[in-house]
Amino acid sequence: SGEGGRERIADFDVSPPPRYVSTEEDEGAETSENHVVQEALATAKNLFASIAASVAGEFKIPALEYQLLGKMNKVASEKYGHMADFTSGLAIFVESLREKEESLVPLATQIDGLEGQLDELEAIVQQLDEYSKRLENRVKKYVFS
């Protein structure tokens, strides 16, 4: 007997019933009865084997899903590891670019100063060109007049 009035399968005795001394009439009935018991036992064994296979089949799908999930987690973990490595490499690269940019700031300032001087020089050249044209016109006016 099990808990709560239920009986567990393991508590059943599946051995054949005890034999008793019988008469010839009983032997034919006993053989037929023994055959029925053996068939019932075989059927019960088949039933329990089928139930066990069914339960195993029901648990196989979630087990396979958990295996797949585990593999997916492993792949994702590896991918995130590669991404972290790549990101740290990018951070180092960005820092080196920032240092190079900072080293170029004085040169950019110098270039800006040179550009301003070039603008002034162009203005002076323009004024000189205009002056030389006016001077040329005066010389032509006095030489050819």
Side-chain angles (χ1 to χ4, degrees):
S1 290
E3 298 167 15
R6 291 184 173 179
E7 295 186 53
R8 292 180 35 219
I9 294 174
D11 293 336
F12 283 111
D13 183 15
V14 289
S15 59
R19 298 191 74 155
Y20 63 94
V21 179
S22 63
T23 62
E24 286 182 25
E25 290 177 357
D26 288 340
E27 282 183 24
E30 186 177 313
T31 304
S32 173
E33 201 174 284
N34 197 10
H35 180 66
V36 169
V37 168
Q38 292 300 323
E39 280 185 19
L41 285 175
T43 303
K45 285 180 183 178
N46 268 345
L47 175 68
F48 288 126
S50 295
I51 290 172
S54 175
V55 169
E58 289 292 322
F59 285 115
K60 188 173 185 173
I61 292 171
L64 291 174
E65 287 175 349
Y66 283 122
Q67 286 177 355
L68 177 62
L69 185 60
K71 288 178 183 178
M72 288 170 59
N73 283 339
K74 183 179 177 184
V75 169
S77 174
E78 290 172 358
K79 188 166 190 153
Y80 288 134
H82 293 303
M83 289 171 62
D85 292 343
F86 181 73
T87 303
S88 66
L90 280 177
I92 292 169
F93 178 70
V94 165
E95 185 60 33
S96 72
L97 284 178
R98 188 172 293 131
E99 290 171 2
K100 288 178 184 177
E101 180 186 23
E102 288 174 6
S103 70
L104 292 176
V105 167
L107 294 174
T109 304
Q110 191 176 6
I111 289 171
D112 288 342
L114 289 173
E115 198 174 311
Q117 290 175 356
L118 184 61
D119 289 342
E120 289 176 18
L121 187 59
E122 284 179 350
I124 291 171
V125 167
Q126 182 69 29
Q127 288 174 357
L128 189 58
D129 189 40
E130 289 173 8
Y131 178 75
S132 66
K133 285 181 184 178
R134 283 194 314 252
L135 188 59
E136 182 183 355
N137 286 336
R138 276 188 195 169
V139 168
K140 283 183 184 178
K141 187 177 181 184
Y142 288 115
V143 170
F144 295 118
S145 33

